């Protein structure tokens, strides 16, 4: 048998010696990261897709779909992750298994494979991307097209959710089966399962660390200790001391300045404040704003990404502001009293000095929408405020999106082109890949039949027909060729973006590219641009989500049919429930959406983006002769940048470290966010965990760190968020609770937001 296997492998496309060395090093590095947490044996007779797992999973899918869609309308939106369902479903599974045994109703002990199926069903319980379109078009205070029916909205959401799955299945031999595609984002989830279920992982259940005693505590016990500890701690930054969510460190050093109440100093406005400016060296002590990615993502990827973020945020953005790049940087504001210049904003601002609106003031997209013409551009209203301006940070965010798109293609072509070519030839020859066949998990998974390509092709074909019908016969209209062109774009980028995510844990998106391309092709058609954006963005998201879940099943030895079936069932239920929840919030929630805490900010941002890319269009905004035309050079720079480390590796010195100079990750920049705090603390935690613990306490790291990250994520997510002014010390006259009376009197008000009466200024 061994000789037959060797002969079969010889018929595959064999890698070159250099490729073989790199593949072996890559394999060893990956195994060093995953073997200690993944099961090393498997029993194919263990049930997975059972009545018990499906029932519990569907319950949590429905609960999370409704809850997360409802919570997405909050001003400070947050979501409840599937890890919560994993934790709470465990006692439910144990309780069910205690009932009398029956082949169908209760097949025996609650297994890890059943738990994974529950997770897959629960993980589909987020907010479908297509809900953005549903809310933007139907919400009375947005576009207000209340004639759109639930069935029409559901059809659009279903298409956006399922269309990408076909592409995922057709690319699984490149994104799932190769050992080098290890999907670091799965490690915390795997740790969660191995902490609940006894498995034969690579490190065993007990390890001895020289000079440090014996790590005898089980992962299960450690998980609950970490869970309770973080649950208690999270109440401090969330409720007792919310200022710990964001500490604008530079403001504390520079002081408030001596301006009038609420007037930021120039330094605090640009560099100091983490809410208004770039948040120089800002800190956070809220795990909800950090996340376990700092523990699970490769340390090199974290360093590369944070280096790029720090350079762009702390150096390039202030330079752009101080040099008045694109103009009006010191004039754009949303503060009518003190005119604080705004950096950290995704809004649009008036650029016409002769406008009927104040120069530099915020303008909403509704101002230049033509409601009687399907919300396309009202050219007269647009010319009144044009050229529309955006902040330096927002413009830089668009530039880095352009950079990332082309850099990902170049990077993957240069470093992984030969691997993809070899795997593709082996796939067409229907033979195993010699490198990938060395994976122990691949050998164990040979016991399960794979879902054939033709099934994914059928799914892709059916969904494409559905997309065309939705485009032509619902208010989410788009040209008939739109779905086909959408799939074409996704087919181009699924491998480059998927490989980056599979090796680093960082995800890239198509949202900007889809808006840019379709905006050029059908300028001024707001609805069509918004629909194309959702399909293009979500097709890739869903495709890579299924790829990541298939890799999770690969590591935990779950039958592919069970994984795909759970994903499809959960997605179908999620679409129905989430669409219904959105309708409930828009029409049955009473006055809830009139309160400050429920201002559906995320949907308003999507609505505003329709103004830039749909009504105005990229030709007016980024085209030749426009204000932001120079940002187009980013496409060229992004495509050229990955050649630098590749050429250095080829002609200066061969080293695996050149490959770590990953420009798609360097250019992956958050841009405008609620708080600019994603550099210092994440890097510090990553250094402690992945340098100190991995080097000095490696067995502790292997046994507990991923479990700890999963526990921290689960417990902190349970504690609700609270809106509080977090960096009040940047503003003169402000306290932790509110501004002083001078701030409100300057606006003609005689009462503060806290209800404190102020004397009328004479």
């Amino acid at each position: 048998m061994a000789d037959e296997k060797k002969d079969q492998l010889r018929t595959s496309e064999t890698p070159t010696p250099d490729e073989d060395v790199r593949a072996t090093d890559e394999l060893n590095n990956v195994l060093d990261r995953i073997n200690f947490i993944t099961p090393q044996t498997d029993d194919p007779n263990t049930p997975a897709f059972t009545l018990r797992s499906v029932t519990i999973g569907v319950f949590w899918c429905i609960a999370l779909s409704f809850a997360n869609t409802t919570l997405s309308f909050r001003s400070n939106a947050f979501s409840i992750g599937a890890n919560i369902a994993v934790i709470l479903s465990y006692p439910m599974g144990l309780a069910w298994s205690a009932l009398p045994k029956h082949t169908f109703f209760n097949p025996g002990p609650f297994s890890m494979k059943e738990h994974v199926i529950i997770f897959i069903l629960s993980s589909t319980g987020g907010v479908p991307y297509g809900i953005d379109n549903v809310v933007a078009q139907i919400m009375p205070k947005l576009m207000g097209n209340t004639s759109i029916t639930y069935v029409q909205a559901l059809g659009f959401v279903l298409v956006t959710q399922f269309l990408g799955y076909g592409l995922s299945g057709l690319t699984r031999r490149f994104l799932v089966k190769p050992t080098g595609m290890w999907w670091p984002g799965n490690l915390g989830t795997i740790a969660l399962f191995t902490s609940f279920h006894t498995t034969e992982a690579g490190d065993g259940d007990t390890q001895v660390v020289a000079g440090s005693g014996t790590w005898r505590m089980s992962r299960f016990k450690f998980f609950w200790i970490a869970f309770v500890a973080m649950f208690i701690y999270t109440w401090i930054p969330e409720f007792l001391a919310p200022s710990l969510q964001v500490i604008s460190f530079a403001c504390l050093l520079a002081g408030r300045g001596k301006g009038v109440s609420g007037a930021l100093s120039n330094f605090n406005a640009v560099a100091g404040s983490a809410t208004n400016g770039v948040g120089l060296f800002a800190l956070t002590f809220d795990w909800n704003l950090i996340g376990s990615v700092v523990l699970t993502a490769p340390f090199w990827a974290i360093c590369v990404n944070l280096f790029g973020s720090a350079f762009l945020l702390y150096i390039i953005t202030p330079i752009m502001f101080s040099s008045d790049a694109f103009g009006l940087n010191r004039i754009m504001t949303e503060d009518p009293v003190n005119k604080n210049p705004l950096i950290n904003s995704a809004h649009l601002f008036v650029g016409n000095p002769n406008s009927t609106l104040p120069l530099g003031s915020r303008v909403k997209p509704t101002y230049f929408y033509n409601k009687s013409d399907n919300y396309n551009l009202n050219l007269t209203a647009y010319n009144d405020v044009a050229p529309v301006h955006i902040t330096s940070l927002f413009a830089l965010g668009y530039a880095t999106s352009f950079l990332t798109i082309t850099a990902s293609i170049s990077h993957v072509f240069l470093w992984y082109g030969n691997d993809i070519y070899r795997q593709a030839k082996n796939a067409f020859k229907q033979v195993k890949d010699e490198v990938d066949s060395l994976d122990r998990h691949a050998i164990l998974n040979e016991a399960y039949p794979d879902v054939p390509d033709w099934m994914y092709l059928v799914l892709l074909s059916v969904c494409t027909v559905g997309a065309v019908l939705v485009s032509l016969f619902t208010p989410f209209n788009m040209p008939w060729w739109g779905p086909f062109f959408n799939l074409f774009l996704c087919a181009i980028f699924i491998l480059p973006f998927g490989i980056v995510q599979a090796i680093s844990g960082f995800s890239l998106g198509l949202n900007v590219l889809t808006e840019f391309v379709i905006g050029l092709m059908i300028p001024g058609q707001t609805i069509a641009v918004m629909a194309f954006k959702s399909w293009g963005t979500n097709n890739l998201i869903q495709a890579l989500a299924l790829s990541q879940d298939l890799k999770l099943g690969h590591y935990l030895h779950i039958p592919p049919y069970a994984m795909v079936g759970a994903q499809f069932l959960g997605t179908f239920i999620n679409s129905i429930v989430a669409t219904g929840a959105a309708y409930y919030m828009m029409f049955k929630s009473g006055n809830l959406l009139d309160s400050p805490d429920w201002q559906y900010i995320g949907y308003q941002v999507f609505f505003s983006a329709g103004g830039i890319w749909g009504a105005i269009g990229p030709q007016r905004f980024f085209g030749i002769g426009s204000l932001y035309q120079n940002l187009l050079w980013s496409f060229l720079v992004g495509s050229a940048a990955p050649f630098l480390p590749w050429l250095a590796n080829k002609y200066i010195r061969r080293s695996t470290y050149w490959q770590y100079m990953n420009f798609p990750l360097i250019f992956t920049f958050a841009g405008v966010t609620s708080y600019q705090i994603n550099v210092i603390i994440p890097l510090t935690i990553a250094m402690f965990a992945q340098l100190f613990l991995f080097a000095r306490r490696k067995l502790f790291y292997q046994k507990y760190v991923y479990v700890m990250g999963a526990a921290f994520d689960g417990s902190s997510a349970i504690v609700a968020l609270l809106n509080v002014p977090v960096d009040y010390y940047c503003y003169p006259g402000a306290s932790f609770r509110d501004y002083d009376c001078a701030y409100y009197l300057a606006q003609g008000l005689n009462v503060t937001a806290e209800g404190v009466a102020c004397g009328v200024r004479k």
Side-chain angles (χ1 to χ4, degrees):
M1 291 294 293
D3 292 336
E4 291 178 5
K5 184 172 182 180
K6 290 179 181 178
D7 291 338
Q8 182 183 26
L9 289 177
R10 287 193 190 101
T11 64
S12 69
E13 192 72 21
T14 305
T16 65
D18 285 344
E19 290 174 334
D20 189 57
V21 171
R22 183 171 67 84
T24 302
D25 291 342
E26 187 177 70
L27 177 65
N28 292 332
N29 180 57
V30 170
L31 294 179
D32 195 37
R33 288 283 183 175
I34 65 174
N35 265 356
F36 61 82
I37 202 70
T38 55
Q40 300 299 299
T41 59
D42 179 49
D43 179 6
N45 295 318
T46 303
F49 201 84
T50 64
L51 176 67
R52 177 169 56 202
S53 64
V54 172
T55 302
I56 298 174
V58 166
F59 167 79
W60 283 108
C61 176
I62 294 172
L64 294 181
S65 297
F66 188 88
N68 285 328
T69 304
T70 300
L71 294 171
S72 69
F73 283 81
R74 281 179 56 95
S75 299
N76 197 3
F78 66 100
S79 62
I80 303 172
N83 282 352
I84 301 301
V86 171
I87 295 166
L88 298 180
S89 66
Y90 183 67
M92 297 171 68
L94 292 180
W96 192 317
S97 66
L99 299 174
K101 291 186 178 180
H102 185 277
T103 305
F104 180 71
F105 292 102
N106 186 19
F110 181 53
S111 68
M112 182 172 69
K113 295 190 179 186
E114 290 180 288
H115 212 171
V116 173
I117 295 301
I118 293 173
F119 167 77
I120 296 300
L121 284 161
S122 305
S123 67
T124 62
V127 184
Y129 201 93
I131 294 295
D132 285 305
N133 297 74
V134 172
V135 175
Q137 289 185 227
I138 300 175
M139 187 76 182
K141 291 186 178 180
L142 297 179
M143 290 187 173
N145 186 359
T146 56
S147 65
I148 298 176
T149 67
Y150 171 82
V151 173
Q152 291 172 330
L154 177 60
F156 178 80
V157 173
L158 282 171
V159 170
T160 62
Q161 289 293 88
F162 275 96
L163 198 55
Y165 285 158
L167 291 174
S168 175
L170 296 174
T171 57
R172 66 194 186 283
R173 58 178 45 86
F174 308 107
L175 298 178
V176 177
K177 293 184 178 181
T179 306
M181 304 294 109
W182 59 296
W183 295 89
N186 279 329
L187 297 184
T189 305
I190 295 172
L192 192 60
F193 289 122
T194 57
S195 67
F196 279 93
H197 303 269
T198 301
T199 62
E200 187 182 337
D203 65 336
D205 190 61
T206 303
Q207 290 290 353
V208 178
V209 180
S212 302
T214 304
W215 304 107
R216 296 187 180 275
M217 184 184 298
S218 68
R219 285 187 173 121
F220 182 78
K221 184 177 181 179
F222 184 88
F223 171 86
W224 284 111
I225 292 175
F227 184 92
V228 172
M230 180 54 70
F231 181 85
I232 295 172
Y233 167 78
T234 303
W235 287 83
I236 299 174
E238 299 294 352
F239 290 101
L240 302 179
S243 59
L244 292 177
Q245 293 178 25
V246 180
I247 297 180
S248 297
F249 188 68
C251 283
L252 294 176
L253 295 178
R256 304 182 190 223
K258 299 180 179 179
V260 299
S261 178
L264 288 166
S265 66
N266 288 333
F267 177 82
N268 285 346
V270 179
S273 174
T275 56
N276 187 88
V278 302
L280 183 64
F281 305 131
L283 311 174
T284 180
F285 294 96
D286 184 350
W287 188 260
N288 276 309
L289 300 176
I290 302 170
S292 61
V293 65
V294 297
L295 303 177
T296 58
F299 184 66
W300 70 265
I302 294 174
C303 290
V304 168
N305 176 254
L306 292 183
F307 167 79
S309 296
F311 177 74
L312 294 167
L313 189 63
Y314 297 155
I315 298 177
I316 300 300
T317 302
I319 289 176
M320 290 177 64
F321 179 87
S322 60
S323 63
D324 200 26
F326 310 116
L328 302 187
N329 282 344
R330 300 183 185 277
I331 299 176
M332 285 183 280
T333 183
E334 295 182 26
D335 183 353
V337 178
N338 295 302
K339 307 294 184 182
N340 287 320
L342 193 58
I343 308 297
N344 189 29
S345 173
H347 293 144
L348 310 180
F349 299 89
V350 177
N352 185 356
N354 299 317
S355 172
T356 56
L357 300 178
L359 181 67
S361 63
R362 179 186 172 186
V363 57
K364 296 183 178 180
T366 50
Y367 184 79
F368 41 79
Y369 280 157
N370 187 345
K371 294 184 179 180
S372 62
D373 184 25
N374 206 25
Y375 286 87
N376 294 328
L377 182 65
N378 182 333
L379 191 57
T380 302
Y382 171 72
N383 288 334
D384 180 53
V385 297
V388 174
H389 282 250
I390 55 178
T391 65
S392 299
L393 185 56
F394 197 15
L396 185 59
Y398 278 129
T400 54
S401 295
F402 300 158
L403 288 165
T404 302
I405 289 167
T406 50
S408 64
I409 295 177
S410 294
H411 179 84
V412 170
F413 171 77
L414 293 171
W415 294 103
Y416 296 94
N418 289 336
D419 292 340
I420 294 173
Y421 177 72
R422 186 191 75 246
Q423 291 158 351
K425 291 191 70 173
N426 289 336
F428 283 119
K429 292 178 180 179
Q430 295 295 302
V431 295
K432 293 181 181 179
D433 187 89
E434 185 171 349
V435 176
D436 300 338
S437 65
L438 300 175
D439 187 349
R440 179 183 183 86
H441 300 286
I443 297 172
L444 292 173
N445 283 313
E446 289 179 355
Y448 307 108
D450 199 1
V451 180
D453 288 345
W454 69 263
M455 286 191 176
Y456 290 109
L457 279 171
V458 169
L459 174 69
L460 186 63
S461 301
V462 171
C463 290
T464 302
V465 172
V468 173
L469 294 176
V470 168
S471 299
L472 298 179
F473 299 109
T474 74
F476 303 94
N477 53 359
M478 189 193 306
W480 67 268
W481 48 264
F484 298 100
F485 184 63
N486 207 305
L487 285 174
F488 172 73
L489 284 179
C490 290
I492 292 175
F493 287 96
I494 186 172
L495 285 184
F497 282 23
I499 288 174
V500 170
Q501 186 172 343
I503 65 174
S504 70
F506 288 85
S507 59
L508 310 177
L510 275 182
N511 54 320
V512 172
L513 179 66
T514 52
E515 293 171 317
F516 185 87
V517 173
I518 197 65
L520 289 175
M521 298 177 72
I522 48 174
Q525 298 185 33
T526 305
I527 300 296
V529 170
M530 291 167 64
F532 189 91
K533 170 189 176 180
S534 287
W535 281 356
T537 303
N538 206 51
N539 286 347
L540 187 67
I541 291 174
Q542 292 294 89
L544 297 183
L546 179 57
S547 297
Q548 182 165 345
D549 286 344
L550 288 175
K551 192 68 176 188
L552 177 69
H554 176 86
Y555 285 142
L556 299 179
H557 318 132
I558 314 296
Y561 274 98
M563 294 293 289
V564 173
Q567 189 93 17
F568 286 10
L569 176 61
T571 301
F572 183 75
I573 295 172
N574 165 255
S575 300
I576 295 173
V577 175
T579 306
Y583 268 81
Y584 173 82
M585 290 299 295
M586 289 188 289
F587 300 111
K588 300 295 183 181
S589 60
N591 297 324
L592 180 65
L593 299 184
D594 293 328
S595 67
D597 291 336
W598 295 83
Q599 290 296 300
Y600 46 95
I601 300 298
Y603 297 114
Q604 292 193 49
V605 171
F606 183 86
F607 176 62
S608 298
I612 296 178
W613 301 99
I616 299 175
Q619 180 60 46
R620 289 188 177 90
F621 215 88
F622 298 103
I624 304 302
S626 68
L627 184 64
Y628 296 98
Q629 64 174 354
N630 287 332
L631 296 184
L632 296 179
W633 287 105
S634 301
F635 287 111
L636 179 61
V637 173
S639 63
F643 280 87
L644 298 177
W646 184 80
L647 290 172
N649 178 70
K650 191 173 183 66
Y651 296 108
I652 297 178
R653 180 186 177 187
R654 285 192 173 275
S655 172
T656 56
Y657 290 105
W658 290 115
Q659 193 170 347
Y660 294 153
M661 192 179 292
N662 190 310
F663 277 97
L665 290 185
I666 293 175
F667 296 145
T668 299
F669 178 51
V672 175
T673 61
S674 298
Y675 309 130
Q676 297 293 350
I677 39 78
N678 296 317
V679 176
I680 305 301
I681 294 298
L683 179 61
T684 302
I685 295 175
M687 290 178 64
F688 176 76
Q690 300 202 45
L691 290 186
F692 175 77
L693 288 181
F694 189 77
R696 303 289 184 88
R697 301 289 186 271
K698 186 172 183 178
L699 296 180
F700 175 90
Y701 175 93
Q702 291 178 334
K703 189 169 186 180
Y704 298 130
V705 166
Y706 292 161
V707 176
M708 180 174 65
F712 284 1
D713 284 352
S715 58
S716 61
I718 292 178
V719 183
L721 300 180
L722 181 67
N723 279 333
V724 177
V726 290
D727 61 351
Y728 62 92
Y729 41 80
C730 293
Y731 298 80
S735 67
F736 170 73
R737 300 188 64 85
D738 200 355
Y739 292 107
D740 61 12
C741 279
Y743 177 81
Y744 291 97
L745 290 173
Q747 302 178 59
L749 303 175
N750 57 10
V751 64
T752 69
E754 290 287 312
V756 177
C758 299
V760 179
R761 179 179 292 176
K762 297 182 179 179

